[in-house]
């Protein structure tokens, strides 16, 4: 089990980063929020979960242990695979997901691409008693600021399965809402996803 990786980031792709560890480049699948905090050429540490399949070994990376633990918890629900679990973390902060599971908030979960009403209800039933203590609303990190937010938000939307034209429309719509200081990339990405969710 590879619990974490630390090394220099040699490449950042739309859905993953390559981290060089001991001369070996490890491709780590990450949410757009996690990728937004990485810089090519800089050292990074990612908490990781290794998913072993008959035909593949896939490494998923997270900004911290909290995200990783929630990802692994989501995988224990029937019908939730790594891609859905990662999409949940791309759309919501861990504390938001825990509150939704604890309080039976189906709407929060169905905002995630790939989760319908029935799937959300099943997740709540299966995970409600496993999530542990839930923090108050508003807790959670504000994220990182970045000047090139448009491309990062666009890539994040594409990684979650929307088309290029939908991604461009979402970025344009989010840009119109910015008045003054630019919010963090994860905040902007969540706003884009909410807008796309309403348009479906």
């Amino acid at each position: 089990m590879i619990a974490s990786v630390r090394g220099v980031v040699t490449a950042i792709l739309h859905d993953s980063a390559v981290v060089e560890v001991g001369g070996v480049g490890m491709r780590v699948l990450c949410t757009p929020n996690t990728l937004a905090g990485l810089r090519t050429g800089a050292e990074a540490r990612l908490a990781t979960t290794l998913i072993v399949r008959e035909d593949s070994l896939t490494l998923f990376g997270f900004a911290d242990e909290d995200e990783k633990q929630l990802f692994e918890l989501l995988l224990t629900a029937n019908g939730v695979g790594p891609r859905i679990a990662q999409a949940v973390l791309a759309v919501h902060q861990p504390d938001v997901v825990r509150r939704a599971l604890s309080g039976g908030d189906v709407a929060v979960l169905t905002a995630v691409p790939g989760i319908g009403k029935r799937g959300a209800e099943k997740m709540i039933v299966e995970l409600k008693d496993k999530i542990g203590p839930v923090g108050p609303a508003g807790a959670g990190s504000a994220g990182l600021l970045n000047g090139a937010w448009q491309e990062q938000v666009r890539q994040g939307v594409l990684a979650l399965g929307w088309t290029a034209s939908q991604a461009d429309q979402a970025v344009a719509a989010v840009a119109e809402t910015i008045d003054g200081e630019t919010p963090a990339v994860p905040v902007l990405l969540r706003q884009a996803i909410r807008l796309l969710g309403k348009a479906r």
Side-chain angles (χ1 to χ4, degrees):
M1 181 69 167
I2 302 173
S4 67
V5 296
R6 181 190 294 274
V8 174
V9 178
T10 59
I12 299 175
L13 310 172
H14 76 279
D15 65 347
S16 59
V18 178
V19 181
E20 188 168 310
V21 182
V24 177
M26 305 186 90
R27 182 170 177 240
V28 186
L29 297 182
C30 304
T31 66
N33 300 344
T34 300
L35 292 174
L38 302 178
R39 298 290 176 269
T40 303
E43 184 172 278
R45 180 196 178 278
L46 295 171
T48 57
T49 295
L50 180 64
I51 302 295
V52 180
R53 296 282 186 259
E54 194 173 304
D55 58 348
S56 67
L57 297 173
T58 308
L59 201 57
F60 288 83
F62 310 94
D64 55 39
E65 291 294 331
D66 188 36
E67 282 192 1
K68 173 184 170 177
Q69 288 169 8
L70 182 56
F71 175 83
E72 292 176 347
L73 176 67
L74 291 170
L75 291 180
T76 67
N78 285 323
V80 177
R83 289 293 186 174
I84 291 289
Q86 190 180 45
V88 171
L89 290 169
V91 177
H92 300 299
Q93 292 280 4
D95 61 316
V96 173
V97 179
R98 288 193 179 93
R99 284 197 302 275
L101 292 170
S102 175
D105 192 340
V106 171
V108 168
L109 298 176
T110 55
V112 178
I115 298 180
K117 185 172 186 285
R118 184 175 295 179
E121 289 169 346
K122 277 180 62 180
M123 285 174 65
I124 290 166
V125 169
E126 292 183 35
L127 302 177
K128 187 173 187 174
D129 297 327
K130 298 181 182 178
I131 58 171
V134 179
S141 62
L144 297 164
L145 290 172
N146 190 283
W149 69 266
Q150 289 96 334
E151 184 57 24
Q152 288 183 318
V153 169
R154 184 177 185 277
Q155 291 299 327
V157 169
L158 290 172
L160 290 169
W162 274 285
T163 66
S165 68
Q166 288 173 315
D168 291 338
Q169 288 170 8
V171 168
V174 170
E176 288 177 8
T177 68
I178 296 174
D179 184 21
E181 189 176 341
T182 304
V185 170
V187 173
L188 295 168
L189 177 61
R190 287 188 193 92
Q191 188 176 347
I193 292 166
R194 278 196 297 271
L195 290 169
L196 287 166
K198 288 177 184 174
R200 282 196 297 188

